[in-house]
Amino acid sequence: MAKQQWKPGNMLYPLPAVMVTVRSKNGEDNIITVAWAGTVCTNPPMVSISVRPERYSCHMLEESKEFVINLTTEKLCYATDYCGVRSGRDVDKFKEMKLTKTEASLVNAPMIEESPVNVECRVEKIEKLGSHYMFIARVLAVHADEAYMDENGRFDLNKARPMVYSHGEYYGLGKKLGSFGYSVKKKKKRK
């Protein structure tokens, strides 16, 4: 198999496309779509988001040091894209996309009601890394929509039809291929 060598770049795709909500010190709410979001640590639970400093929400994140990560779904795809290409300087994204604001319980930022999962975060560290600022944050609370609980009372995000972002395109997630540890799981003996 032949491969081409390219210049250095970020080729970790697909990525979750999330809508991050933030509130300015003046009480102004905004939504920013972020594809560079990820898990940092399990204990304590921590995440990171990376935002260009020229983005309208960046100064809000620096000032408030609080935000909510709102997971997206196929149904929220249009709103996710819109909130990534329109600036909060010019439009009220909640109003334009008819998204419902719900107050978070522990941070001063709104949540998006239509999102199946909302993750409340408080910034612990800001790393200024060239083209992006990375906000490393502690997870303070997680809100999960009861509509996606299975018959055993466990949350099933797959029922919400999550979406991902890859090279400028959005995709719904496909069929389940396996579950963690299935490659080493002992097979049941047939009788």
Side-chain angles (χ1 to χ4, degrees):
M1 172 171 52
K3 292 192 177 184
Q4 298 177 3
Q5 180 174 324
W6 297 345
K7 67 179 183 174
N10 298 326
M11 292 299 294
L12 296 175
Y13 288 102
L15 300 163
V18 298
M19 290 190 283
V20 173
T21 46
V22 63
R23 178 170 290 144
S24 75
K25 63 182 177 183
N26 301 331
E28 192 176 4
D29 295 332
N30 195 38
I31 305 168
I32 181 173
T33 298
V34 174
W36 291 2
T39 299
V40 172
C41 188
T42 301
N43 191 11
M46 296 184 76
V47 294
S48 71
I49 60 170
S50 293
V51 178
R52 289 185 180 273
E54 61 270 14
R55 296 291 297 264
Y56 183 63
S57 291
C58 192
H59 81 277
M60 294 178 180
L61 291 162
E62 286 183 289
E63 291 169 358
S64 72
K65 295 189 175 44
E66 295 181 332
F67 60 90
V68 177
I69 295 174
N70 303 275
L71 298 190
T72 59
T73 62
E74 291 177 16
K75 192 174 181 181
L76 290 169
C77 187
Y78 186 87
T80 302
D81 184 66
Y82 183 91
C83 291
V85 297
R86 293 287 184 228
S87 174
R89 287 181 185 95
D90 306 321
V91 297
D92 178 340
K93 297 176 191 180
F94 278 99
K95 181 179 175 185
E96 292 298 316
M97 291 294 99
K98 297 177 176 54
L99 295 170
T100 309
K101 264 188 225 186
T102 303
E103 288 303 313
S105 59
L106 299 174
V107 300
N108 186 23
M111 300 188 306
I112 298 173
E113 183 68 28
E114 291 80 3
S115 172
V117 176
N118 316 92
V119 183
E120 295 187 48
C121 305
R122 181 164 294 133
V123 175
E124 292 203 350
K125 188 174 188 180
I126 302 171
E127 290 287 340
K128 297 183 177 184
L129 303 169
S131 67
H132 286 70
Y133 290 2
M134 177 187 283
F135 296 86
I136 301 169
R138 184 180 296 255
V139 174
L140 301 180
V142 177
H143 304 264
D145 190 329
E146 292 177 351
Y148 303 110
M149 298 297 181
D150 69 14
E151 58 278 353
N152 297 317
R154 288 184 296 219
F155 185 73
D156 185 357
L157 182 60
N158 293 325
K159 287 182 180 180
R161 301 183 61 120
M163 59 172 255
V164 294
Y165 175 82
S166 183
H167 295 282
E169 299 178 314
Y170 303 100
Y171 293 92
L173 295 179
K175 66 180 181 178
K176 179 179 173 180
L177 302 176
S179 57
F180 181 76
Y182 85 101
S183 65
V184 295
K185 187 175 179 181
K186 292 183 180 180
K187 296 184 178 10
K188 292 181 182 178
K189 293 182 181 179
R190 293 186 181 182
K191 294 181 183 182

